[in-house]
Amino acid sequence: VGERIRDLELIADCVASIRRIALFSYLIVAPVAGTILTMIVYRQHWPNLVVAEMIGVLLVTAWFARVSANYGAALILLRDRNHYYRNQIIGSVGSLTLLVISMMLHHFNIYVGILLNVAQVIFIGTLNFRRVRKLLGTGGRALPHLQKAILRLAVPNFPSTLFYAVQGQITLTLIVIFGHTSGVANVGALSRLSQIFVIFNQVNLILVEPFFAKLPAERLKRYYVLAIA
């Protein structure tokens, strides 16, 4: 897109091209992920219904996380950061509110926790999608040359993206394969608690980086030195 941020037709075509690539990738990865998950949990002797529910949650969450990421990026490109952050805040606060209510009513269990997470991902993805379609006014066209350009941009980042996606699950996967159900629950709980520290990373992403991005060149060096000090 470059400097052509006012060219809504071009942006719509880019979004459609990304959507086509993401759909193709999803159709390949989803069956593989479902098969790997089934093989991993085979030794736990969990009921088939439980395994099927886990696969269903995985597929639905992956689909709407893709929608949220694709259209969230489009919102940032369209300079509509207010709705981008608002959608995330509404989804997070709503999920947290429902979580507190379910705990107060003594109805909280593992299914409620999972469904709340899934509902949050679906909610944010749907809001991002509807907002982008409203701003663009068209669904766009998936053009071959745009798909090739997007792939050329994305492929060099694939190794780091794959590592980021997998590295947090390695411990849990090993416990599932070689451990017992109680160990899986303990590691899963510790993993969720560790997400508290992600807040500090989000502070950098939401507050610090935009602050430095909008500084004029003559003030950037001085503020950067003060931040490091």
Side-chain angles (χ1 to χ4, degrees), residues 47-122:
N48 292 333
L49 179 61
V50 173
V51 177
E53 291 172 345
M54 293 171 63
I55 294 174
V57 167
L58 172 65
L59 297 181
V60 172
T61 304
W63 176 265
F64 280 94
R66 176 197 66 82
V67 173
S68 178
N70 290 349
Y71 289 94
L75 283 177
I76 294 177
L77 183 61
L78 292 167
R79 303 294 192 268
D80 193 9
R81 294 184 181 87
N82 287 337
H83 279 88
Y84 174 75
Y85 291 121
R86 185 185 304 167
N87 294 344
Q88 296 187 64
I89 292 172
I90 293 174
S92 299
V93 172
S95 179
L96 180 60
T97 302
L98 293 175
L99 173 64
V100 172
I101 292 175
S102 64
M103 294 181 66
M104 293 176 62
L105 297 176
H106 304 288
H107 290 308
F108 181 76
N109 53 43
I110 186 172
Y111 290 101
V112 173
I114 292 173
L115 290 177
L116 286 177
N117 282 334
V118 174
Q120 179 181 344
V121 174
I122 294 175

Side-chain angles (χ1 to χ4, degrees), residues 53-204:
E53 291 172 345
M54 293 171 63
I55 294 174
V57 167
L58 172 65
L59 297 181
V60 172
T61 304
W63 176 265
F64 280 94
R66 176 197 66 82
V67 173
S68 178
N70 290 349
Y71 289 94
L75 283 177
I76 294 177
L77 183 61
L78 292 167
R79 303 294 192 268
D80 193 9
R81 294 184 181 87
N82 287 337
H83 279 88
Y84 174 75
Y85 291 121
R86 185 185 304 167
N87 294 344
Q88 296 187 64
I89 292 172
I90 293 174
S92 299
V93 172
S95 179
L96 180 60
T97 302
L98 293 175
L99 173 64
V100 172
I101 292 175
S102 64
M103 294 181 66
M104 293 176 62
L105 297 176
H106 304 288
H107 290 308
F108 181 76
N109 53 43
I110 186 172
Y111 290 101
V112 173
I114 292 173
L115 290 177
L116 286 177
N117 282 334
V118 174
Q120 179 181 344
V121 174
I122 294 175
F123 179 80
I124 295 175
T126 303
L127 288 183
N128 287 351
F129 170 78
R130 294 181 61 183
R131 181 60 182 173
V132 171
R133 290 298 294 269
K134 181 179 179 180
L135 291 174
L136 295 179
T138 177
R141 298 169 299 165
L143 303 177
H145 72 278
L146 287 179
Q147 295 181 47
K148 292 180 181 179
I150 292 169
L151 287 174
R152 284 198 299 268
L153 178 65
V155 167
N157 296 318
F158 179 76
S160 61
T161 302
L162 180 63
F163 173 77
Y164 176 78
V166 173
Q167 58 95 14
Q169 311 302 323
I170 293 177
T171 304
L172 184 59
T173 302
L174 293 176
I175 293 295
V176 170
I177 296 175
F178 301 107
H180 302 284
T181 302
S182 59
V184 176
N186 291 334
V187 172
L190 290 174
S191 298
R192 300 305 294 177
L193 288 175
S194 67
Q195 296 299 307
I196 295 175
F197 296 100
V198 177
I199 295 175
F200 300 105
N201 290 333
Q202 294 302 313
V203 169
N204 286 334

